[in-house]
Amino acid sequence: MNGPPALRRAACSRCLRPQATCLCALARPTAHHTEVLVLQHPQEQRQAKNSVALLRLSLAHCEVVVGERFEPAALQALLHRPGRETRLLYPDVPAAPAPLAPATPVGAPLRLVVIDATWRKSLRMLLEHPALAALPRLPLEAPAPTRYRAIRAARRDDQVSTLEATVQALAMLEGPSFDGAPLLDAFGRFVAGVAARQGPRAKLGRAAPSTPAER
């Protein structure tokens, strides 16, 4: 006779994390005008170290869509919203050169697209989706040192988390009206908590370049 089914850990209905690692107390409501769309690789969704859950809890206008391959029509609907200019948080790389960016009207409402994946997987997503590759790019300018290295190893100095990259991008787009400092402080506490729980095994994952973020 089979034994009783394994009990699942109770999860928070808001952040979807196990109750023992619930992020809700760390959330910092952060005022912003730019819409944020995160295209999250499925493997990142399962990462306890991933920063997108805290980002989603803290930004009112943040949509997270999980997937590796998207149907063209569905992707177009995600990327473009009426009345908004879209920018992709990603560097100009030889494998996927950035298109010429049209001038953005001053004060134009924006939609920022962020790929949440390792560098290799984010580049593959870009190359496999022409609609993504065609978006005007927003590269980060000299990203600040990341707090992420405490829990995810990085191969490059400019690798930061998706949360850190998105916060810096919003600061670039919105200027002094955007204050991401409380959210970055909360992220620092999240990293410290993960590091304390995982000890010397904390860096088994890899962070991706700052643009794209994380991831």
Side-chain angles (χ1 to χ4, degrees):
M1 181 180 296
N2 294 330
L7 295 177
R8 293 187 177 183
R9 291 180 296 176
C12 172
S13 61
R14 185 177 175 219
C15 71
L16 307 180
R17 296 291 184 99
Q19 291 287 358
T21 58
C22 175
L23 295 176
C24 294
L26 289 175
R28 292 295 179 269
T30 303
H32 65 113
H33 303 291
T34 303
E35 289 183 352
V36 176
L37 168 66
V38 180
L39 299 179
Q40 185 177 58
H41 192 281
Q43 291 184 356
E44 291 299 324
Q45 185 187 32
R46 299 188 290 270
Q47 273 279 359
K49 307 168 189 176
N50 188 273
S51 66
V52 167
L54 181 57
L55 184 71
R56 177 181 61 82
L57 289 172
S58 301
L59 298 183
H61 312 297
C62 180
E63 178 181 8
V64 180
V65 179
V66 179
E68 185 174 3
R69 293 181 176 85
F70 301 89
E71 292 295 328
L75 183 59
Q76 283 285 356
L78 285 171
L79 299 181
H80 301 284
R81 295 293 163 87
R84 287 191 176 266
E85 300 282 336
T86 303
R87 294 292 181 268
L88 175 65
L89 180 59
Y90 209 93
D92 186 1
V93 293
L100 293 176
T104 302
V106 177
L110 295 173
R111 186 167 176 81
L112 179 68
V113 179
V114 183
I115 303 176
D116 183 48
T118 63
W119 172 256
R120 180 174 59 84
K121 290 183 175 65
S122 70
L123 183 58
R124 179 180 298 172
M125 289 173 67
L126 189 68
L127 294 174
E128 291 180 350
H129 297 88
L132 266 179
L135 292 176
R137 307 275 174 87
L138 177 71
L140 294 188
E141 302 168 356
T146 179
R147 296 168 169 84
Y148 218 33
R149 288 181 183 273
I151 59 173
R152 292 189 85 167
R155 293 180 176 178
R156 293 170 40 166
D157 291 338
D158 65 348
Q159 290 180 321
V160 301
S161 70
T162 296
L163 183 148
E164 291 168 311
T166 303
V167 167
Q168 182 172 340
L170 291 175
M172 291 168 56
L173 293 171
E174 300 189 5
S177 65
F178 177 79
D179 181 12
L183 179 51
L184 291 176
D185 289 343
F187 178 64
R189 291 193 291 276
F190 163 72
V191 170
V194 173
R197 289 192 298 272
Q198 298 189 352
R201 301 185 61 190
K203 290 190 179 182
L204 291 181
R206 284 204 304 272
S210 56
T211 50
E214 205 142 335
R215 281 143 237 270

